[in-house]
Amino acid sequence: VQLVESGGGRVQAGGSLTLSCRASGFNFDNYAVAWFRQAPGKEREGVSVVRTRDGSTYYANLVKGRFTTSSDNAKKVAYLQMNSLRPEDTAVYTCAILIFFGGGDVLLSTILSRLPAEFDYYGQGTQVTVYS
């Protein structure tokens, strides 16, 4: 399985970017895709989660109302639409997959507090730079 993020870049404050997280060689249907970000010298922050089975989502307060996450289960792609970007959104954005085996499930809000090793797959990240 390969997990690849794309869509990062430089954008002026107030602008928008859409990130993609594509899983190849992946055949599960019940899983969650989480987005994290980490700026230089700062701790990793959880951004959002989408559960692919029903499209339910959860957002961290710092992006609520500005970012939207979604998924296309058939294509095995998740998206993070980022609007009204601010310089403080500058970071490397990484996606991660948590598979719900055997029909299991977890509270979406708890997923963003998980460590990278607790995910089944973890991407390499894409840089987002917001300039004023």
Side-chain angles (χ1 to χ4, degrees):
V1 175
Q2 190 175 19
L3 202 58
V4 178
E5 302 94 338
S6 62
R10 283 174 51 86
V11 64
Q12 192 169 20
S16 299
L17 280 175
T18 299
L19 305 183
S20 299
C21 172
R22 183 177 300 273
S24 58
F26 184 80
N27 294 315
F28 295 95
D29 291 319
N30 187 16
Y31 58 97
V33 181
W35 287 94
F36 295 90
R37 71 185 188 185
Q38 188 164 19
K42 295 188 177 180
E43 291 189 357
R44 185 187 67 139
E45 295 179 312
V47 175
S48 65
V49 184
V50 57
R51 182 165 49 211
T52 59
R53 182 187 63 195
D54 58 8
S56 56
T57 58
Y58 175 83
Y59 298 93
N61 288 335
L62 50 91
V63 303
K64 197 173 294 183
R66 299 189 297 125
F67 291 10
T68 302
T69 188
S70 61
S71 67
D72 184 331
N73 206 10
K75 295 181 179 179
K76 298 295 188 276
V77 180
Y79 304 96
L80 182 65
Q81 170 71 40
M82 305 184 294
N83 298 325
S84 302
L85 283 163
R86 306 165 181 168
E88 54 264 38
D89 293 319
T90 295
V92 174
Y93 284 72
T94 304
C95 64
I97 286 180
L98 183 68
I99 300 170
F100 301 133
F101 291 100
D105 203 352
V106 299
L107 197 63
L108 292 186
S109 60
T110 66
I111 292 178
L112 293 184
S113 62
R114 292 192 176 211
L115 298 174
E118 296 179 83
F119 289 87
D120 296 286
Y121 302 103
Y122 209 85
Q124 295 299 310
T126 185
Q127 176 71 45
V128 171
T129 302
V130 185
Y131 60 93
S132 57

